Amino acid sequence: MTEIPKSHPRYVSLMTRERLVEGVKLGVTAMQGLIAHGRGEAFDYILGEKTREFALKAEKAAVASMLLAKHPVISVNGNTAVLVPEEIKRLADAVGAKVEVNVFHYSPERVEKIKSYLERYGVEVLAACDAVLDGLESARRIVDSRGILIADVVLVPLEDGDRCEILKKHGKRVIAIDLNPLSRTARMADITIVDNIVRAFSKMIEMAEKMREWSREELNRIVGEYDNSEILAEAVREIKRYLEKTAEEITR
Ligand code: PTJ
């Protein structure tokens, strides 16, 4: 791993990259995952690299949905596994969710590597790959009959739009984490968290630890009042505001 001095102004961002590169070396993260992360970083940059109000609202609705669900599942790919392994365990415990490995760049060996990687962090992992989601061509159709197949709510960080659509066709409520508010996934999901996955998981754990004491009535109210199209529009407006403010600072 490259030595990054803590004093470096972009320490967190550079360390995140290092984790993904290590993930690739371990065969956990796909090479394509590095490219996907680069796109995420670009959106994070023009959002000011912080969790905004619209993301907090989506994170709260996401936690409420998972707490209300009968079979909530956290779907994990190669990027998610290396970026938030401890947080996956903590969030799954806090909301009572199962954790399932589901990847786009599929091989049985890779699924096994992601599973063992997460198990080192104490995560109980579903990865039987013994069922198929009808209507989907990509490898993401391969799921676990105890997990995504029977789930009513699925948290899908760094997702592709196609699977999001199919999960919805199968009657599941989809929560996406995607820094790109313009993506097909962002627009297809029921709840879209436009935030960096690293910050989003930490916030959701904090919320879940409090909200699990709340009544179902209160949780239902949060989900009922949530409007995803308004949240996405707010994310796009925030990018515009941030860029305009920066343009003014540059010309001052
Ligand atoms: O492990 P696999 O085989 O399932 O492959 C995973 C990747 C990420 C390669 C695969 O799902 C993929 O190609 O994803 P996409 O279609 O490129 O979409 C990834 C989305 O996640 C993009 O819209 C990025 O903006 C967003 N993104 C990337 N890094 C982050 C992020 N969103 C939140 N936090 C991040 N750190």
Side-chain angles (χ1 to χ4, degrees), residues 38-230:
R39 184 196 291 169
E41 275 188 343
F43 276 100
D44 209 8
Y45 208 91
I46 57 174
L47 276 161
E49 294 177 310
K50 51 181 154 187
T51 302
R52 302 290 185 168
E53 197 51 41
F54 54 80
L56 286 172
K57 281 189 196 155
E59 284 154 7
K60 194 170 178 187
V63 170
S65 276
M66 286 192 280
L67 286 168
L68 286 167
K70 263 202 184 119
H71 295 292
V73 172
I74 302 174
S75 173
V76 179
N77 65 11
N79 285 50
T80 306
V82 297
L83 290 179
V84 284
E86 287 153 25
E87 291 85 349
I88 290 170
K89 159 100 183 120
R90 288 184 58 201
L91 184 63
D93 287 350
V95 298
K98 290 183 182 154
V99 176
E100 176 168 341
V101 176
N102 185 270
V103 293
F104 187 73
H105 305 283
Y106 176 85
S107 76
E109 296 74 33
R110 196 167 160 242
V111 169
E112 198 44 49
K113 279 183 182 159
I114 299 176
K115 183 172 183 275
S116 351
Y117 184 85
L118 290 173
E119 282 170 350
R120 274 190 261 147
Y121 290 86
V123 184
E124 227 175 277
V125 186
L126 297 179
C129 301
D130 60 348
V132 161
L133 279 182
D134 289 335
L136 190 60
E137 298 280 307
S138 83
R140 285 213 196 267
R141 71 184 186 284
I142 307 165
V143 294
D144 191 307
S145 57
R146 299 157 298 171
I148 291 171
L149 191 76
I150 57 161
D152 50 352
V153 174
V154 193
L155 171 64
V156 285
L158 281 62
E159 181 57 34
D160 58 276
D162 276 9
R163 189 170 70 127
C164 189
E165 190 174 357
I166 292 299
L167 286 171
K168 287 201 64 175
K169 280 202 178 133
H170 282 259
K172 298 166 197 313
R173 199 172 169 77
V174 178
I175 304 164
I177 303 178
D178 191 338
L179 275 160
N180 176 4
L182 311 172
S183 76
R184 222 165 83 78
T185 303
R187 299 178 70 165
M188 288 291 309
D190 296 289
I191 299 175
T192 306
I193 298 169
V194 183
D195 197 3
N196 195 309
I197 185 176
V198 178
R199 296 193 301 264
F201 263 74
S202 299
K203 294 274 180 216
M204 284 195 288
I205 292 164
E206 226 176 88
M207 289 176 182
E209 283 168 355
K210 284 188 203 132
M211 287 168 65
R212 63 183 173 193
E213 310 296 335
W214 296 4
S215 69
R216 288 185 74 81
E217 197 188 4
E218 179 64 7
L219 299 174
N220 270 316
R221 193 190 54 76
I222 293 165
V223 176
E225 285 174 2
Y226 182 80
D227 177 353
N228 206 46
S229 46
E230 194 36 55

